[in-house]
Amino acid sequence: MLKQKYSVIVTPLLMSALMVTIMTATVTLINTGMTEGFLERWGKAYLISWPIAFSIIFLFGKRVHALSQKICSK
């Protein structure tokens, strides 16, 4: 197991991987259908999208969490 200090990297990594897997599969399926080459198209979309999602979650995750705490504190 990793030390707790690595959670600042592991959390956005896992969150972005899950989000991108579901979203790219859904959008690829809707746009092109389950036809030949689906896995290749999905994989390409995943490889493009995951670094973007990870970066956004890593950079803005704490700010979004703080904002949600403010919104939900009443």
Side-chain angles (χ1 to χ4, degrees), residues 3 7 17 26 35 43 54 56 60 67:
K3 294 180 181 180
S7 69
T26 302
T35 59
F54 173 77
I56 290 169
F60 297 106
L67 177 60

Side-chain angles (χ1 to χ4, degrees):
M1 287 293 172
L2 295 173
K3 294 180 181 180
Q4 182 64 30
K5 68 180 182 179
Y6 295 112
S7 69
V8 296
I9 299 293
V10 173
T11 299
L13 183 116
L14 295 175
M15 192 178 295
S16 62
L18 176 63
M19 180 181 66
V20 169
T21 299
I22 294 168
M23 293 304 299
T24 55
T26 302
V27 171
T28 303
L29 185 62
I30 290 169
N31 286 335
T32 65
M34 186 66 78
T35 59
E36 186 177 331
F38 171 79
L39 291 177
E40 183 179 332
R41 291 187 304 277
W42 180 19
K44 184 176 180 182
Y46 186 93
L47 290 174
I48 293 168
S49 301
W50 180 79
I52 297 167
F54 173 77
S55 299
I56 290 169
I57 293 170
F58 183 75
L59 293 172
F60 297 106
K62 287 184 181 181
R63 292 180 200 146
V64 171
H65 185 262
L67 177 60
S68 70
Q69 294 292 41
K70 281 185 178 182
I71 292 169
C72 298
S73 67
K74 294 183 180 185

